[in-house]
């Protein structure tokens, strides 16, 4: 159980219940048309599952039902008061959680909580033993079963959750529900395994995690068509997760994402160590093989995107470029500002190389030319960013490529963000001392 959503749910439910009580106390003894949220005459009775009931929807009755924790009574009183059904579900669900709150809190915080406030609590691994985890799951199932008994099956979660709609909305409802359940079941199993592992993993743990992933995919493949499974994995796989922010930063089209995803997925499947916690170190041969595969992957992506979009793709994954994107957004700079700064960086590098290679220049002349180039670069940077942002950019990410230029070091940059330095002799060597 995640405590924050639970606490927020309880808070919202209590506020909603207070609104209901306030409406009732204002003298309006009314009931709502289902789903309308407006009040109509109730005459002291309502209908529960088609049978006459004794609910009134009055303030006192609602308050008593809230205090006593009687889920069925609370449900009926809220319905009689005209509360929308989704709000009824929220309030009653929160009250069911509240009945078990003390034990849930103890399992979440009390049993293994450190009393030493100056130490960081270990939230992820080994906080509960197996018996405590089993009890936690049993309590959660107990609450879920009671919620379904009182309120009926859960409505389609994707209707009220934009994230779920993005991930599962392409599927028909029955398959959507089945897929969400499979994902939740395997998430529980993976969490159980990770809590057992704690902070020390064995190779056998790695194999168990791999097995769970394979079984999860088999279960999903049994529910989905191959096309649906591919669509799901393009949204939910580890490859998709790694690409998410990069696609956002480069403002990729769906066509570009699909092309990049296919290439990256092939690379990930061929080069994965199936070792999410890095329990196995890679030797020189492993790294050589991986580096060669990465180089081939980059060439494939470059061919798929074209020269200009590939440049955006590689830049968007670099910290310095991300800093410039942040500055552009914060200070309302033109959208192409990050690209122009990087183009400037490349232009200055190319000009520096030409100066270094110019055999007609003396070392002193080369030094002066590089200093003029660095000064021009700073002025262009200030024009693009403004003086305040340019200064912050220098402090945040460093403009060593300009500073080094004055010292005789020309920096050039590769597509992947790598850099190379070229030392230029900018001072004539001193003549050897003559013997007297």
């Amino acid at each position: 159980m995640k405590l924050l959503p639970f606490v927020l749910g309880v808070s919202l439910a209590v506020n909603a219940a207070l609104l209901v009580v306030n409406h009732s106390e204002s003298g309006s003894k009314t009931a709502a048309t289902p789903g309308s949220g407006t009040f109509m005459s109730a005459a002291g009775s309502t209908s529960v599952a088609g049978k006459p009931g004794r609910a009134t929807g009055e303030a006192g009755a609602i308050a008593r039902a809230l205090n006593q924790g009687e889920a069925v009574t609370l449900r009926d009183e809220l319905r009689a008061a005209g509360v929308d059904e989704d709000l009824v579900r929220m309030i009653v669900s929160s009250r069911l959680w509240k009945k078990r709150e003390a034990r849930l809190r103890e399992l979440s915080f009390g049993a293994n909580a450190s009393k030493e406030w100056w130490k960081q609590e270990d939230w992820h691994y080994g906080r509960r033993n197996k018996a405590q985890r089993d009890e936690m799951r049993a309590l959660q199932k107990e609450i879920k079963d009671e919620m379904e008994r009182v309120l009926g099956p859960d409505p389609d979660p994707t209707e009220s959750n934009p994230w779920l709609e993005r991930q599962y909305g392409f599927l028909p409802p029955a398959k959507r529900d089945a897929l969400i359940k499979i994902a939740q079941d395997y998430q529980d199993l993976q969490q159980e395994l990770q809590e057992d592992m704690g902070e020390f993993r064995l190779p056998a743990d790695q194999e168990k995690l791999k097995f769970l992933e394979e079984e999860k995919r088999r279960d999903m493949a049994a529910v989905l068509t191959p096309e649906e499974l591919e669509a799901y994995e393009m949204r939910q796989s580890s490859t998709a997760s790694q690409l998410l922010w990069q696609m956002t930063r480069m403002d990729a089209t769906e066509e570009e994402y699909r092309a990049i995803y296919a290439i990256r997925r092939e690379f990930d499947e061929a080069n994965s160590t199936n070792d999410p916690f890095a329990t196995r170190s890679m030797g020189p041969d492993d790294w050589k093989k991986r580096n060669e595969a990465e180089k081939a992957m980059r060439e494939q992506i470059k061919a798929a995107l074209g020269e200009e979009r590939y440049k955006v793709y590689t830049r968007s994954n670099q910290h310095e470029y991300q800093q410039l994107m942040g500055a552009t957004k914060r200070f309302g700079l033109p959208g192409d500002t990050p690209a122009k700064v990087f183009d400037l960086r490349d232009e200055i590098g190319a000009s520096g190389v030409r100066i270094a290679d110019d055999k007609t220049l003396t070392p002193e002349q080369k030094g002066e030319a590089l200093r003029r180039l660095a000064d021009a670069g700073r002025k262009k940077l200030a024009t693009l960013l403004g003086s305040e942002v340019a200064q912050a950019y220098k402090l945040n990410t460093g403009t060593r490529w300009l500073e080094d230029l004055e010292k005789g070091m020309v920096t050039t940059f590769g597509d992947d963000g790598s850099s190379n330095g070229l030392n230029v002799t900018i001072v004539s060597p001193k003549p050897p001392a003559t013997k007297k």
Side-chain angles (χ1 to χ4, degrees):
M1 179 194 70
K2 291 187 169 99
L3 187 67
L4 181 57
F6 165 56
V7 172
L8 290 174
V10 171
S11 176
L12 288 170
V14 170
N15 289 338
L18 289 174
L19 281 173
V20 171
V21 172
N22 289 337
H23 273 298
S24 297
E25 287 178 339
S26 68
S28 178
K29 295 182 180 180
T30 55
T33 302
S36 69
T38 60
F39 290 89
M40 301 167 52
S41 176
S45 66
T46 188
S47 173
V48 180
K51 299 180 180 179
R54 300 164 71 177
T56 65
E58 295 179 347
I62 294 172
R64 283 192 297 275
L66 280 169
N67 291 332
Q68 293 170 3
E70 292 295 335
V72 173
T73 303
L74 178 59
R75 175 200 66 190
D76 294 345
E77 292 294 349
L78 291 170
R79 285 175 175 171
V83 178
D84 284 344
E85 192 61 28
D86 57 347
L87 193 51
V88 171
R89 177 174 287 272
M90 179 185 293
I91 296 170
V92 174
S93 300
S94 298
R95 197 63 189 84
L96 291 174
W97 280 103
K98 185 71 175 176
K99 287 170 62 176
R100 300 161 178 84
E101 181 183 19
R103 184 55 183 158
L104 288 168
R105 275 182 168 276
E106 185 178 351
L107 288 169
S108 295
F109 299 111
N112 298 319
S114 172
K115 302 298 189 293
E116 298 169 322
W117 56 265
W118 62 93
K119 294 182 180 178
Q120 176 62 45
E121 197 59 84
D122 182 6
W123 292 103
H124 301 292
Y125 304 118
R127 295 196 64 244
R128 293 184 295 269
N129 59 39
K130 189 175 188 308
Q132 291 167 335
R133 296 197 300 268
D134 288 344
E135 184 180 354
M136 174 73 85
R137 278 192 292 274
L139 281 171
Q140 291 173 333
K141 185 178 186 305
E142 185 180 309
I143 295 168
K144 182 176 183 296
D145 291 345
E146 190 171 355
M147 284 168 56
E148 290 192 358
R149 178 179 64 80
V150 175
L151 300 167
D154 286 341
D156 184 354
T158 61
E159 291 183 359
S160 57
N161 188 320
W163 184 86
L164 289 176
E165 172 63 28
R166 283 168 59 91
Q167 303 303 313
Y168 298 97
F170 66 97
L171 292 169
K175 289 189 176 184
R176 191 183 312 164
D177 294 344
L179 210 60
I180 291 174
K181 185 177 186 306
I182 291 171
Q184 183 61 56
D185 288 345
Y186 278 95
Q187 181 180 325
D188 291 343
L189 291 170
Q190 289 166 338
Q191 182 178 345
E192 174 77 7
L193 179 56
Q194 288 169 358
E195 290 200 25
D196 280 339
M197 289 188 298
E199 295 187 76
F200 186 83
R201 284 94 182 182
L202 300 171
D205 298 326
Q206 174 186 328
E207 291 303 316
K208 290 175 185 176
L209 288 168
K210 178 183 176 184
F211 174 76
L212 286 177
E213 282 296 328
E214 292 172 347
E215 287 298 300
K216 175 183 174 182
R217 194 177 192 279
R218 271 192 283 270
D219 285 354
M220 289 181 170
V223 173
L224 305 177
T225 66
E227 293 76 19
E228 290 170 340
L229 181 59
E230 181 182 7
Y232 169 80
E233 290 182 334
M234 289 189 73
R235 292 163 170 80
Q236 294 273 48
S237 66
S238 59
T239 297
S241 298
Q242 293 169 24
L243 285 175
L244 176 64
W245 286 111
Q246 193 168 4
M247 297 299 95
T248 303
R249 294 186 190 108
M250 71 172 288
D251 194 22
T253 65
E254 182 177 347
E255 182 181 9
E256 287 173 334
Y257 172 68
R258 288 179 177 276
I260 295 169
Y261 175 85
I263 297 167
R264 284 285 300 268
R265 184 64 186 269
E266 182 180 357
F267 170 83
D268 289 344
E269 289 180 348
N271 295 278
S272 172
T273 61
N274 296 306
D275 187 7
F277 299 109
T279 56
R280 182 180 71 85
S281 60
M282 294 176 64
D285 290 342
D286 295 323
W287 282 114
K288 181 180 178 182
K289 179 181 176 183
R290 184 179 181 86
N291 290 337
E292 290 173 351
E294 283 183 345
K295 183 178 179 181
M297 177 187 69
R298 288 195 295 270
E299 290 299 322
Q300 286 180 287
I301 293 175
K302 187 174 184 179
L305 295 179
E307 191 78 34
E308 289 305 311
R309 288 298 286 167
Y310 178 73
K311 186 184 294 185
V312 177
Y313 165 78
T314 55
R315 288 175 172 182
S316 65
N317 206 35
Q318 297 174 38
H319 175 69
E320 187 174 342
Y321 198 81
Q322 293 161 18
Q323 288 280 306
L324 289 166
M325 290 179 71
T328 298
K329 183 177 180 180
R330 179 177 177 182
F331 295 99
L333 302 175
D336 60 353
T337 298
K340 285 186 174 180
V341 172
F342 264 49
D343 287 343
L344 172 64
R345 195 181 66 168
D346 292 342
E347 289 166 10
I348 286 179
S351 296
V353 170
R354 285 195 293 272
I355 292 170
D357 291 342
D358 191 340
K359 296 185 175 9
T360 67
L361 298 177
T362 66
E364 289 82 358
Q365 289 171 327
K366 287 183 179 181
E368 180 60 27
L370 292 177
R371 284 190 288 273
R372 285 198 304 269
L373 183 61
D375 186 56
R378 289 193 185 92
K379 290 177 180 177
K380 288 182 180 179
L381 202 57
T383 300
L384 288 170
L385 300 176
S387 58
E388 182 182 10
V389 177
Q391 182 62 24
Y393 171 61
K394 176 182 176 181
L395 294 174
N396 290 343
T397 62
T399 50
R400 289 287 301 275
W401 46 281
L402 285 174
E403 295 159 19
D404 287 346
L405 205 58
E406 296 177 316
K407 303 172 185 176
M409 171 72 77
V410 177
T411 305
T412 56
F413 298 90
D415 287 342
D416 58 353
S418 60
S419 61
N420 291 299
L422 172 64
N423 281 307
V424 184
T425 302
I426 60 175
V427 178
S428 298
K430 293 181 179 180
T434 58
K435 294 182 180 179
K436 293 183 179 180

